Amino acid sequence: MKLAKFRTSLGRVGVAVVEDSTIFPLDLGRVPGVETLADILHSPDPRALVAKLHPGGTGLPVADLDLLAPVDRQEIWAAGVTYKRSKAAREEESAGAAQFYDKVYSAARPELFLKATPERVTHPGGPIRVRADSKWNVPEPELTLVVSPALKIVGYTGGNDVSSRDIEGENPLYLPQAKVYTGSCALGPWVVLADAIPELTACEIRLVIRRGGRVAFDGTTTIAQMNRTPESLVEWLGKENAFPHGVLLMTGTGIVPPDAFSLSTGDAVDITITGIGTLMNPVG
Ligand code: DO4
Ligand code: MG
């Protein structure tokens, strides 16, 4: 089951079930206390709750509504250097600090950082950005875990951890500036419930970047290449850290375009994950 957030042309925000290319807005008023997507995702039985909220009918074409990032009050965290490709890319870009990436790749404790707050997240179809003070920028396509306050993985969505490679490479202490700025995080297009995703290790992540209508980069990886499990990342994230509103955790990138590539305004970035769908964002 896929659950989305949307906004109507009159500005009303709602929650919907997505089936193929049809969207069924839910009637949240039917169950007292259920007001948001997170209320459904964090409930003991999201499917049963959705059945109570589903008005039936024929639904609407997905294209008729503006989808919003599937986040409410959760913080968005990210893991890093969880794939060999990411480790190699960081070692190349940051000669003086290469050893730290090797160490964090194989250490028990993963790299975890706060990537965004909900207000900072770019919606599906909305513009992501590159920093004006950076010359080398890339999208990072990442499986993103939707985690309840009880630290249970309740769903999955797509994520783009847009990053500045030259700022990160200059000094690892610049990581927050390389990673956290306006337009650096996109999420969506919806949440797939945890029990509806195919076997994770079989899932493919694909990144396609188009420039001037042509494909400028096309790369794939599989979640089987990840050096850690989603559950272990959540366990580390939850150590000494409470998430009363739940949390979204981006799980790191296994795709890094060649060093000569940098994102430019006007590029179109598509991130497709098996079983989830495609998160599309232009670079604004
Ligand atoms: O250590 C830098 C960040 C790594 C990262 O964002 C990733 O591997 O996806
Ligand atoms: Mg990343």
Side-chain angles (χ1 to χ4, degrees):
M1 179 180 282
K2 294 173 177 156
L3 295 174
K5 270 183 78 168
F6 65 88
R7 186 169 27 222
T8 64
S9 53
L10 297 175
R12 187 178 77 83
V13 173
V15 180
V17 175
V18 180
E19 286 169 18
D20 301 318
S21 49
T22 305
I23 191 159
F24 297 87
L26 297 176
D27 183 359
L28 299 186
R30 287 184 182 187
V31 176
V34 176
E35 290 170 6
T36 64
L37 173 59
D39 289 339
I40 298 172
L41 293 170
H42 300 166
S43 71
D45 187 347
R47 272 176 193 280
L49 184 50
V50 167
K52 288 185 191 156
L53 304 170
H54 204 310
T58 50
L60 301 162
V62 173
D64 282 9
L65 292 172
D66 288 333
L67 293 183
L68 300 177
V71 62
D72 289 298
R73 295 175 68 190
Q74 304 97 318
E75 293 170 353
I76 296 91
W77 284 67
V81 199
T82 50
Y83 291 77
K84 216 175 235 177
R85 176 70 188 107
S86 178
K87 173 177 104 81
R90 317 283 160 189
E91 286 173 339
E92 280 162 30
E93 79 194 8
S94 57
Q99 56 162 319
F100 294 109
Y101 293 102
D102 184 36
K103 278 186 180 158
V104 84
Y105 181 73
S106 46
R109 184 189 292 275
E111 178 193 5
L112 294 169
F113 56 92
L114 181 63
K115 172 70 184 174
T117 49
E119 303 74 23
R120 292 179 161 274
V121 175
T122 299
H123 302 299
I128 50 173
R129 289 185 60 254
V130 293
R131 291 185 64 119
D133 56 357
S134 167
K135 291 189 169 53
W136 191 17
N137 297 276
V138 287
E140 295 190 358
E142 306 192 5
L143 173 73
T144 301
L145 316 175
V146 182
V147 180
S148 71
L151 296 181
K152 182 174 173 217
I153 300 174
V154 293
Y156 300 90
T157 190
N160 192 343
D161 171 22
V162 191
S163 303
S164 161
R165 292 193 64 188
D166 50 355
I167 294 178
E168 176 184 287
E170 190 178 337
N171 186 324
L173 297 181
Y174 292 156
L175 189 82
Q177 293 172 75
K179 293 285 187 183
V180 184
Y181 60 88
T182 306
S184 70
C185 178
L187 294 172
W190 38 63
V191 172
V192 176
L193 292 184
D195 63 5
I197 197 97
E199 170 56 34
L200 265 190
T201 49
C203 289
E204 184 183 81
I205 301 180
R206 182 171 183 199
L207 169 66
V208 177
I209 306 168
R210 291 190 179 77
R211 181 168 293 169
R214 295 202 168 161
V215 174
F217 176 80
D218 185 346
T220 56
T221 189
T222 64
I223 294 166
Q225 303 303 310
M226 206 199 299
N227 194 34
R228 300 180 187 267
T229 63
E231 290 75 17
S232 75
L233 291 174
V234 172
E235 193 185 334
W236 279 99
L237 183 65
K239 280 187 204 287
E240 302 297 326
N241 216 352
F243 296 96
H245 306 299
V247 60
L248 272 72
L249 177 56
M250 306 173 82
T251 57
T253 188
I255 305 174
V256 184
D259 290 356
F261 180 88
S262 183
L263 272 185
S264 290
T265 302
D267 288 353
V269 180
D270 290 3
I271 292 171
T272 304
I273 305 179
T274 313
I276 298 177
T278 303
L279 172 64
M280 293 186 263
N281 297 98
V283 181

